Each structure stands twice: as C-alpha cells, then as structure tokens.
Amino acid sequence: MIIYVNDFKKDNISDTQAINDAIKYCNQNGGGTIYFSANCTYRAGMIRLLDNVELYFESNAILKASDNILDFSEDKNLNIQSISAPTFENCDYNGQPDKFFIYANNAKNIKISGCGIIDGNEEIFYGKVSKWHIDGFFYPRVPLIYFENCENVCISDITLQRSAFWTTHLVGCRNVIINNIKILNNLKLANCDGIDPDHCQNVVIKNCYIEAADDCIVFKTTSIGKAYGECRDIEVSGCTLISTSAAIKFGTESVSDFKNIYIHDCNILKSNRGIAFMLRDEGSISNIRFENINIDTRRFSHIYWWGKGEPICITAVKRIKDGKLGNIKDIYFKNIKMDCESPIFIYGYDDSKISDLKFVDLKMNLNNKTNYQKDIYDLRPCEEYQIITMPMSIIKIFNANNIEFDNFSYSVDENIKSYIQKEFDINNSKNINLK
C-alpha cells in the first residue's frame, strides 16, 4: 500500500493527526509506505510508528518538530524537570524519556527512509548558552527517534538534524539496519548523541555521516532497559564522525554486558575524544574489535565537554562509592592512525578491571592544537578524582594488566615536546609489552 500524508490533511486537522491517522490506516490495512511529499514542510508533535509501516520522505520533504513542548506527550503531560546544575556535572539518566517525537514500542518491520529531512527544532529547548556550550532547560529532553523493543528496524538515506537530545535512541531492539544517514546536530548543544544502541542485538550501522554533541555512536545499557539483556552482535563501518565528546563510546550507562562488536573503516575528525570506553556500572565489556580507523582529536573547551583530546580512552571507575563495577577485557585495535592532542589513556579502578588489550599497527602523532591546559586527565563521571593533574605522556596506563602494543610508532611535534616528561607512564600494572 502506498498513501500520502497529504491525503489525510483536511480542514482543522493538524499535521500530527494527519500523520498518525495515515500510520493507523496503513497498519490496519496490512502495512505499506506513507509518503511525505516533495518540497512540503510538515509540523508535528508525537508520532507513533506501528507494525509494517514505512515513512518515506521525497526530495526536500521536511518533518519539523512542533514549537509546543506539550505536543510531545499523548496525554499532554508537561512533567518538566528543570536542571539546577549543568549536564556536564550531572547527567545521570535511566534511559526513559516521557516525551517523544517519532516513537515506536513493540513494533515490527518499521522503516524510515528517503531523501528528506527530519528536524528536531532545537531552539525551543535551550537553557543556558555560552561561547562553547548550550544546555537544555530541562532533562531528559525529547529524542528525535525513540524505538523500544522493536524488531526488523531500518533507517536509511534520511537526514536527521538539530535534535534537542539523543537523536536515535534504540532500546532493546533487534535486527536493526542504519545505512547512509546524515545526522547534523549543533556542536554546542549538550546531550545530542547521534546513534544510541541500548541493550540492542544484531545491529548494522554503515556509511553514516554524524556531527553530534555529545557522542556520535554510543553503546549503552541503561537501567530502565535491563530486562532486554546485553548490547551485542553489532557492526559499524564506513562512517565519518565529528563529536564534541567521544566519536565512538561505550557507556557511561553500563548495567548489562557489551560483547561481539566490530567497528572498522571509519574516520573520526575534529573530535574531543576518538574512541572511549567509560565503564561506570556492573556490566562488562568484552570481545570488541577496531580496525582501520583514522582519528583526529582536538580540545573543544576547558571544562564543558568530557574528554581532553585523547585518541583512545579506556576507563573503568565506579559511578558512586558503593556501586558495583564490571570489567573491560579482550579489546583489539589494528591499523589505527591518530593525530591527537593527548595521550592514549587507560585507567582502571583497580588492577582487575581492565585487562587483555592488544594494539597492533598503531601510528600516533601528538600535536598541540589548542591553548588549553595539557597536563589534565578526565574521569568524569565518577565517585571522586574526576579531573587528575599530571604530566603528559605518549601512553598512560594505571591499574591494568596484560596489554600489548605490537608495531607502535609515534612522533611528537615540537610545539608539544616540552610538556612531556615521561613517554610511557605505567603505574600499578602488570605484563605491559611495548614494541
């Protein structure tokens, strides 16, 4: 079945109702494709996608989020939790928003595609604005796409832009393909991740271009989705990523395990961090493989964004004092090229939490790209010691075991040599092999 949203638009009918009516009609009649017409702009609040329905955007079709925050809840429940502290200091989140733009729950065979645009209307969510950073005035805000417990999901070719929160949050979803999409978010607006597979299985993300603040592709296991189990069996390839935090990240929400994830043939450009493991909860991370990655990092600000220009940052520290903490092990890196402003940084809570890391064919150039302080290291969020001051190195390792660097080469630009006191700084760690 092929139908057009415009066929459901009548006098005194909002775009929101027309789109939802078209989805219901299509679903009740065996499924099919709903077209957003070329060169048309639609304004809508919450849209609920149902089984066997595809939303297809013709050329220059635009779906833009409503100006009225009440429109993002079916029961018109405002329930805004205003923030009292900036989210770079406190952004604990169980993973469950209560307001939505494009939403699906327990759906099968759903798809968003085409060559149009979905726009999150970011400005209506602004809070405090500074030169380097924009916070929202409440938290959590409205994700652009939120799918929970869905199966056979495809998002392809579309442009997603100006999201006010996590752009594509998939919770407990299975058999997902995200292909050839663009995510173009404001690099100042906090918490606007690109793609968040959360407790998801069997996911392919390929050929995507993402500009995002905070993280571009971030694997999570949030507390609200714990019943969905592990985040596993995922492949990422052919992506170009620009991030004010980490281009590729695991965590910080990590209540369940992450395993069997393969990331390859990607370019990370102008990011505050390249690849980050930020284990803070009881889940563990294992059997993760990176190959053929180019990483270019540079600092975005002094304090606002987590990270200090590290190409690879692997940390396992407790979120709260009495919290449980899993482990990171069996991580493999091959053919990684790095031009960066900070060292490779590995930091464990104790020497049992990070182990069995292998780095093969790494090339690293350390380069002073900004005027920000060079001798600081960022563990946020954690129970204590969030910002550590110590001299720069090429590699820093604390409380980790069984780490091998095979064919590791590096160079240091003249503009940063004076900051380095010890090239390889290894502390309370065993079986570290550098060659």
Side-chain angles (χ1 to χ4, degrees):
M1 175 181 289
I2 295 176
I3 59 176
Y4 280 81
V5 172
N6 290 357
D7 294 337
F8 287 78
K9 292 183 69 172
K10 301 175 183 178
D11 292 342
N12 300 319
I13 295 295
S14 69
D15 287 351
T16 305
Q17 184 175 337
I19 295 165
N20 282 314
D21 286 350
I23 291 170
K24 289 176 185 176
Y25 180 86
C26 191
N27 166 259
Q28 291 167 0
N29 289 274
T33 302
I34 296 170
Y35 278 75
F36 292 75
S37 297
N39 303 309
C40 290
T41 296
Y42 304 82
R43 298 300 303 271
M46 180 177 170
I47 296 167
R48 183 185 287 266
L49 194 53
L50 301 174
D51 289 359
N52 306 312
V53 175
E54 175 183 359
L55 304 182
Y56 183 86
F57 292 77
E58 294 183 332
S59 178
N60 296 317
I62 300 172
L63 173 62
K64 187 174 180 180
S66 169
D67 290 330
N68 187 350
I69 293 174
L70 288 175
D71 290 341
F72 300 107
S73 175
E74 286 181 322
D75 60 5
K76 302 298 183 180
N77 175 22
L78 192 58
N79 191 26
I80 285 180
Q81 301 176 22
S82 298
I83 61 172
S84 58
T87 51
F88 62 82
E89 292 182 358
N90 180 16
C91 63
D92 286 347
Y93 176 45
N94 67 5
Q96 180 62 70
D98 61 3
K99 290 168 282 293
F100 308 91
F101 186 18
I102 301 177
Y103 172 76
N105 190 293
N106 301 314
K108 295 181 180 179
N109 309 319
I110 56 176
K111 185 174 182 179
I112 300 173
S113 65
C115 45
I117 296 170
I118 303 175
D119 187 303
N121 197 16
E122 63 174 66
E123 291 91 350
I124 68 168
F125 301 94
Y126 281 9
K128 185 177 180 180
V129 178
S130 77
K131 179 180 177 180
W132 303 274
H133 183 268
I134 302 171
D135 233 328
F137 73 89
F138 69 98
Y139 186 93
R141 300 188 292 280
V142 179
L144 196 75
I145 295 171
Y146 181 93
F147 292 163
E148 181 175 352
N149 193 30
C150 294
E151 188 168 0
N152 300 331
V153 174
C154 180
I155 304 172
S156 68
D157 304 315
I158 196 79
T159 295
L160 309 176
Q161 69 181 27
R162 300 181 348 107
S163 179
F165 197 56
W166 298 2
T167 308
T168 308
H169 186 190
L170 309 175
V171 184
C173 294
R174 301 164 301 283
N175 304 325
V176 176
I177 296 176
I178 301 177
N179 178 43
N180 195 39
I181 71 168
K182 291 181 181 178
I183 296 178
L184 305 175
N185 286 340
N186 187 340
L187 289 174
K188 290 184 179 181
L189 182 55
N191 316 119
C192 292
D193 297 353
I195 302 172
D196 294 62
D198 181 357
H199 296 279
C200 290
Q201 295 95 42
N202 300 319
V203 178
V204 173
I205 301 169
K206 60 183 181 179
N207 306 322
C208 296
Y209 178 90
I210 304 174
E211 297 180 8
D214 292 32
D215 311 300
C216 289
I217 299 174
V218 48
F219 307 99
K220 294 182 178 292
T221 52
T222 55
S223 59
I224 199 71
K226 193 167 185 178
Y228 296 119
E230 300 168 335
C231 191
R232 61 175 174 81
D233 302 321
I234 298 172
E235 182 178 3
V236 177
S237 66
C239 294
T240 298
L241 311 172
I242 298 173
S243 167
T244 50
S245 195
I248 298 170
K249 189 174 88 174
F250 292 76
T252 66
E253 296 87 352
S254 46
V255 302
S256 301
D257 291 351
F258 307 78
K259 60 177 61 174
N260 307 335
I261 297 174
Y262 180 36
I263 301 167
H264 62 96
D265 298 290
C266 291
N267 291 310
I268 295 170
L269 307 176
K270 298 181 293 185
S271 292
N272 205 41
R273 269 182 175 147
I275 297 167
F277 289 74
M278 299 175 68
L279 186 67
R280 298 296 182 268
D281 304 304
E282 65 266 32
S284 292
I285 306 173
S286 65
N287 193 28
I288 313 298
R289 184 182 181 97
F290 298 88
E291 286 191 273
N292 307 327
I293 311 288
N294 297 316
I295 300 174
D296 169 29
T297 63
R298 53 107 168 171
R299 297 274 297 280
F300 272 81
S301 67
H302 171 61
I303 192 68
Y304 295 102
W305 302 104
W306 292 347
K308 303 300 177 187
E310 309 95 327
I312 298 170
C313 178
I314 302 174
T315 62
V317 293
K318 289 184 177 181
R319 184 184 300 275
I320 57 175
K321 183 176 181 180
D322 297 322
K324 296 180 180 179
L325 185 65
N327 57 64
I328 299 172
K329 63 180 181 180
D330 298 326
I331 314 299
Y332 182 85
F333 297 83
K334 183 176 182 181
N335 191 28
I336 313 295
K337 296 180 174 64
M338 300 163 283
D339 189 272
C340 49
E341 197 171 13
S342 281
I344 294 172
F345 183 61
I346 301 170
Y347 191 102
Y349 176 77
D350 60 38
D351 64 1
S352 69
K353 299 304 179 185
I354 300 176
S355 66
D356 302 297
L357 313 181
K358 188 168 184 177
F359 301 84
V360 178
D361 298 333
L362 268 65
K363 293 182 179 179
M364 176 178 177
N365 180 58
L366 201 60
N367 181 16
N368 188 7
K369 302 180 183 183
T370 69
N371 293 323
Y372 296 116
Q373 184 179 352
K374 297 294 183 288
D375 59 347
I376 54 175
Y377 300 84
D378 191 350
L379 292 173
R380 294 175 296 176
C382 63
E383 57 163 322
E384 57 183 4
Y385 310 127
Q386 295 196 9
I387 302 293
I388 298 174
T389 301
M390 53 189 168
M392 282 195 69
S393 299
I394 304 299
I395 298 172
K396 280 193 177 293
I397 302 174
F398 291 79
N399 306 323
N401 294 325
N402 303 324
I403 300 176
E404 180 179 349
F405 287 82
D406 186 357
N407 192 27
F408 172 65
S409 62
Y410 65 93
S411 58
V412 180
D413 283 8
E414 288 295 330
N415 60 20
I416 204 168
K417 277 186 177 180
S418 62
Y419 294 98
I420 297 174
Q421 296 185 14
K422 187 177 183 180
E423 291 182 326
F424 305 114
D425 188 10
I426 299 169
N427 302 268
N428 194 36
S429 301
K430 300 175 184 177
N431 300 323
I432 310 299
N433 185 5
L434 286 159
K435 60 181 180 179

